[in-house]
Amino acid sequence: MIEKIVVLGSNGQIGTELVTALRRVYGESNVIACDIRRPDYDIKNSGPFEFVNVLEKDTLNSIFQKYQPTQVYLLAALLSATGEQNPKLAWDLNMNGLLNILDLAITYKTAKVYWPSSIAVFGPNSPKDNTPQFCVMDPNTVYGISKLAGERWCEYYQQKYNLDVRSIRYPGLISWKAAPGGGTTDYAIHIFHDALKKGTYASFLNAGTELPMMYMDDAIRGTIELMDAEASKITIRSSYNFAGVSFTPEILAAEIRKHIPEFTLTYTENDPRQNIADSWPRSIDDSFAVKEWEWKPEFDLSKLTLDMIENLKK
Ligand code: SER
């Protein structure tokens, strides 16, 4: 069967790299990039692109009708920090965007749907270290609330309507190709840009703030591996815990100093993102992903640091 894959939110930090990876596997013309904004040169010139707002049902419907997708990836969302600046919009986009896609996937018999969740589904009363798949979840950001509700909807549609929907709780994703989209973990990207440009960085998260992170190459590979896995192996239909590496700003800075010895790290004060970070896990237990679809990250801290610096230098 020829796959037809629609990626909604194709211009974002994940979409930019996912579209490229999927086009390599499934062929350029079979992966339709969709976003509300004009795409960058690469995505537009390597295959089909459509302007889509995931809150406009008629446009979405015409996309499903035109392409009859076998797989849909819904990446359009407001992240944790931007979500707090506009809570109602974050809820509307993150929740109604998802429900629109789940309903259309049923109408058009889409074989598989992918929707990302986040470590933001955990909250102040979740265990901080090696946070398990199943535990207390009391997110206190609109982003986290919408992701947790979205997870419940995904599982509900799978159980009620037999929709093959799959999901991963991404940690902070580190990448050099596209800019991050307003998250709490974005410091771990900005730090590389400033280290190379200015030799110094003022972190908006405090020393000692340990968060789960992952290199984008691992995240893209893991996402495609989950989507390729036998449906019978996927027992979690809410969203899988997913782990790469965990570190603090000062541990990352020490690693950067191995390549840029004069690099200095300072800290800003009273950034609202600190409270968000404090409510999230320090590390994640991803044993379900490991056991059920053989997840294994390839990038540790030293490998991702080297790769970021090499690519950003170019
Ligand atoms: N990187 C995201 C954020 O910080 C977590 O899902 O919002």
Side-chain angles (χ1 to χ4, degrees), residues 21 47 83 92 97 133 140 199 213 222 234-235 254 259 261 293:
D92 189 29
Q133 177 71 38
N140 57 12
M213 301 276 186
I234 313 294
T235 68
H259 307 271
W293 41 279

Side-chain angles (χ1 to χ4, degrees), residues 19-35:
V19 166
T20 308
L22 289 171
R23 283 183 173 162
R24 218 177 289 131
V25 180
Y26 294 103
E28 294 184 343
S29 60
N30 294 321
V31 180
I32 300 92
C34 306
D35 205 287

Side-chain angles (χ1 to χ4, degrees), residues 79-142:
L79 292 194
S80 60
T82 22
E84 289 313 288
Q85 286 154 22
N86 204 336
K88 295 282 164 51
L89 175 66
W91 177 257
D92 189 29
L93 174 63
N94 297 0
M95 205 56 356
N96 292 319
L98 173 61
L99 290 172
N100 287 345
I101 297 306
L102 293 176
D103 285 336
L104 284 166
I106 288 173
T107 308
Y108 286 90
K109 301 191 169 49
T110 306
K112 286 181 215 171
V113 174
Y114 180 82
W115 174 80
S117 185
S118 161
I119 53 166
V121 292
F122 299 109
N125 291 294
S126 307
K128 292 263 176 235
D129 296 302
N130 230 4
T131 306
Q133 177 71 38
F134 301 105
C135 60
V136 170
M137 296 165 93
D138 56 348
N140 57 12
T141 60
V142 179

